DNA sequence: CTGTTAGCGCATTCAA
DNA sequence: TTGAATGCGCTAACAG
């Protein structure tokens, strides 16, 4: 038998030849139905299919058109973590909703270590990036900025000329603390998210706060401080426990520790709902009644917050919308440059109540 | 002032010229550090940076090398739904873990309608696809297969020569039903996932079962039937309620309906944990004690299953691992062709117990 | 409606 | 070590 042709890579050229038309016409058959007769188009498509041609090569087309048809999403975190944290999942929901409408694909770029970030961000064939990042020092930030594509940053301090989406964490945290102050609480403790990317667990010192690179965490901390100081409470005396990875288990453990101090706090300010839920479990373990003996307030308003018992008082931030707006900014404004500050809202549920009499 | 050069698109060529070297050498500076002296490399990189060159254009490089550095993930569902369903999120966690290790990006391809699927799947610049799909008739399947790239299909009936990952749903469902039969139950009801992609809500007829295109649902249904028939129970008498979208709210509503029938079922077989949780809420609303008066068994073992009260008896399937294995098959075998059947396990918790005396 | 002409920006032969 | 040439596969002008 005579050697059959290479089965590899049939090109538009081959299809055109087989159909007896020019490359352009073949190309138009795929991309510009209006540029040729319907019947010719059908014939070309049929021949292409029959030859096993799978359509114009996306890479060649991208090079030619300069458009990738995808936006990149950079989480400056490990991906499995991002896919397990309710806040980032809600964010993804919002992003994906807008992408779907725009028929844009979503490229999730791993940046596990700075070396990986270097490579993967550089090689991402996208039309723009959403940078979802909490650590101001993350190397991924500059990698993304270096690409000189449209960028929207989320939850990061605004930068010159770069579109950003965030909420006023400080004001929101202040509101959370004020809620408890109004309920007569004076003995506070704080469950904090990470301040630095070093996986440190435990008591937070003033030095640590000074070195902090997670602006979000810092803002919430300052928000608590604003309210407490205004109420005449000495912030430096308030125990703060850091729980990296937004871990419920860790929060449970640190809350147990906090609740065994004397005098026992009557209110816990948790920087996320997961941390708050950890605190709720700790209270349960110790037989401390919520909200009668202990009030707990969270942050985020994740779906679970309204499902657990007691339901969780928290600060609602529009998680899904944050993703949707970021994607919209990226896809619909050119170049994206406006920054959005999204509203938050205190949601009072069952986990907070009047402070117990002393 | 004399016009400055176009700020647009500096190429490797420009960098080479500015550095006084050839294109090749400039290219090597980025891709083959060992092909030129370290000092020359540094110089070139410095000049490139200074010129505002952001590194080799990913699209051009992809075209040249034929590698995209990304794998495509096609959910044959709306993306916001995929990002809200605990089973697909767990799957994503697994996929992303492996991608991260392999420094491969993950392209999430929207396929909301068949027209979108046509375009987005065709234009995805990826090295292979994971097809996560429940509906055997989804147009996305052929779109993906047409691309003639390595493919791993998940939760879909195996196809000739195509790698697949799934669990033995039928056997697993059978085990769930057998568990309840052993607890002496005789009055059953079923909360079903969708059988067809038509958003139908309510009672399932034999005709509908015959037309079903969601193989998963069908397998679980047959698994229940296997066990019940073996126990001498007439399957055709068992009420089945279909709850599309794996919706807890819908399950609550349909379970309320089921629990108001006479004779009231003593056991509910739910095809997912979310449906089971809906049933639990229904029982709570009606003041029916679980497990004393009603047993409920789920499927999947999502994280919430062990957190709600009563904790949920369920069939555990390795959700995260399913994603990890799919990604591994795609990234590490070439071409992927072996199929994996993953184990399931009955997890007995608090929501099932001995049937109440008649 | 169709074909001809020109690159998109790069990585890789091969020869120097 | 470096440089000159080649084409990856395609689309967009433009002229027939």
């Amino acid at each position: 038998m005579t050697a059959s042709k290479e089965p590899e890579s049939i090109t538009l050229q081959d299809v055109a030849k087989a159909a007896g038309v020019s490359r352009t016409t073949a190309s138009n058959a795929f991309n510009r139905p209006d540029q040729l007769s319907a019947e010719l188009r059908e014939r070309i498509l049929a021949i292409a299919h029959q030859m096993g041609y799978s359509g114009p090569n996306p890479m060649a087309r991208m090079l030619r058109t300069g458009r990738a048809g995808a936006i990149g999403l950079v989480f400056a975190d490990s991906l499995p973590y991002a896919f397990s944290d309710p806040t980032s999942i809600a964010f993804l929901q919002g992003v994906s909703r807008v992408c779907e409408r725009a028929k844009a694909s979503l490229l999730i770029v791993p940046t596990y270590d700075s070396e990986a970030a270097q490579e993967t961000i550089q090689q991402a064939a996208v039309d723009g990036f959403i940078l979802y990042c909490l650590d101001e020092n993350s190397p991924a930030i500059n990698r993304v900025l270096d690409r000189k594509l449209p960028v929207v940053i989320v939850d990061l301090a605004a930068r010159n000329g770069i579109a950003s989406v965030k909420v006023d964490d400080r004001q929101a945290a202040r509101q959370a603390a004020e809620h408890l102050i109004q309920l007569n609480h004076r003995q506070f403790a704080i469950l904090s998210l990470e301040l630095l990317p070093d996986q440190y667990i435990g008591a937070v010192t003033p030095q640590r706060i000074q070195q902090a690179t997670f602006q979000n965490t810092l803002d919430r901390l300052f928000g608590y401080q604003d309210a407490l100081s205004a109420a005449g409470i000495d912030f430096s005396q308030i125990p703060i426990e850091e729980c990296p990875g937004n871990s419920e288990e860790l929060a449970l453990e640190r809350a147990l520790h906090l609740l065994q101090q004397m005098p026992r706090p009557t209110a816990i300010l948790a920087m996320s709902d997961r941390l708050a839920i950890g605190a709720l479990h700790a209270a349960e373990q110790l037989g401390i009644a919520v909200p009668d003996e202990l009030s707990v307030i969270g942050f985020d308003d994740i779906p679970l917050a309204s499902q657990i018992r007691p339901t969780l008082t928290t600060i609602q931030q529009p998680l899904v919308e944050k993703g949707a707006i970021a994607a919209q900014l990226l896809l619909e404004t050119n170049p994206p440059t406006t920054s959005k500050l999204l509203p938050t809202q205190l949601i009072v549920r069952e986990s907070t109540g009047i402070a117990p009499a002393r």
Side-chain angles (χ1 to χ4, degrees), chain A:
Chain A
M1 44 183 162
T2 52
S4 59
K5 292 290 200 301
E6 296 265 3
E8 301 290 354
S9 75
I10 298 148
T11 77
L12 195 57
Q13 181 72 277
D14 302 330
V15 174
K17 198 179 303 175
V21 297
S22 79
R23 255 211 319 274
T24 310
T25 306
S27 174
N28 284 337
F30 285 96
N31 304 311
R32 307 252 173 113
D34 53 316
Q35 296 293 300
L36 72 178
S37 69
E39 82 188 299
L40 177 56
R41 180 177 133 92
E42 282 313 317
R43 195 166 65 81
I44 295 176
L45 260 33
I47 290 177
H49 188 79
Q50 187 184 333
M51 295 175 72
Y53 179 67
S54 47
N57 177 315
M59 303 170 188
R61 156 188 247 147
M62 274 161 53
L63 175 58
R64 185 60 238 243
T65 61
R67 285 202 59 255
I71 65 176
L73 179 53
V74 174
F75 283 109
D77 247 321
S78 101
L79 252 31
Y81 168 72
F83 283 121
S84 66
D85 188 77
T87 57
S88 42
I89 289 176
F91 180 77
L92 268 164
Q93 263 180 267
V95 171
S96 68
R97 191 178 70 209
V98 173
C99 283
E100 189 162 272
R101 249 191 260 138
K103 293 188 186 171
S105 293
L106 183 60
L107 188 75
I108 309 228
V109 182
T111 58
Y112 189 53
D113 49 50
S114 55
E115 187 199 348
Q118 179 84 271
E119 281 185 48
T120 54
I121 292 176
Q122 168 55 37
Q123 302 191 4
V126 296
D127 299 322
F129 282 103
I130 292 176
L131 180 53
Y132 186 92
C133 183
L134 302 172
D135 178 4
E136 292 286 337
N137 273 2
S138 168
I141 300 177
N142 283 325
R143 296 287 81 72
V144 168
L145 262 28
D146 282 349
R147 282 293 302 273
K148 292 176 184 156
L149 291 172
V151 176
V152 175
I153 60 181
V154 178
D155 277 1
L156 211 53
R159 280 162 166 68
N160 237 339
I162 298 177
S164 81
V165 179
K166 57 182 319 230
V167 302
D168 188 342
D169 286 287
R170 184 162 182 164
Q171 177 52 36
R174 174 175 188 143
Q175 201 179 0
E178 281 170 348
H179 168 65
L180 292 172
I181 290 166
Q182 277 167 16
L183 291 170
N184 246 358
H185 290 274
R186 289 298 175 272
Q187 295 291 337
F188 288 89
I190 294 175
L191 285 176
S192 174
L193 292 169
E194 54 245 287
L195 286 157
L196 290 165
D198 58 3
Q199 299 297 311
Y200 168 82
I201 300 171
V204 172
T205 61
Q207 292 80 11
R208 201 166 165 78
I209 294 177
Q210 285 201 328
Q211 296 163 358
T213 58
F214 282 70
Q215 190 61 44
N216 247 8
T217 307
L218 217 45
D219 283 344
R220 294 185 193 176
L221 209 50
F222 289 151
Y224 294 150
Q225 184 174 22
D226 291 344
L228 297 177
S229 299
I233 297 169
D234 182 0
F235 189 72
S236 67
Q237 295 304 306
I238 292 180
I240 306 174
E241 291 282 328
E242 186 168 339
C243 308
N246 194 13
S247 158
E248 217 172 286
E249 292 71 31
L250 228 46
L252 163 57
E253 178 196 313
R254 300 325 300 164
L256 283 176
H257 174 74
L258 287 171
L259 292 172
Q260 285 165 334
Q261 314 262 335
M262 292 306 286
R264 198 172 78 195
T266 66
I268 291 184
L269 294 159
M271 282 197 199
S272 80
D273 288 350
R274 296 189 96 175
L275 300 186
I277 290 170
L280 254 24
H281 289 329
E284 192 181 1
Q285 274 192 25
L286 296 174
I288 300 174
V290 175
D292 291 345
E293 299 175 90
L294 174 72
S295 285
V296 176
I297 188 167
F299 202 113
D300 294 334
D301 196 24
I302 62 175
L304 196 52
S306 53
Q307 290 169 26
I308 51 159
R309 293 299 127 85
T311 55
L312 188 64
T313 295
T314 192
I315 297 291
Q316 176 179 85
Q317 61 165 322
L319 295 168
V320 176
E321 214 187 336
K322 199 150 79 171
I325 289 178
Q328 252 161 26
L329 241 38
L330 190 57
L331 288 167
E332 293 167 16
T333 66
N334 205 316
T337 149
T338 53
S339 288
K340 302 260 185 186
L341 197 63
L342 270 32
T344 58
Q345 192 186 351
L346 172 69
I347 307 282
V348 179
R349 297 204 184 92
E350 300 165 357
S351 69
T352 52
I354 295 177
R358 309 192 78 179

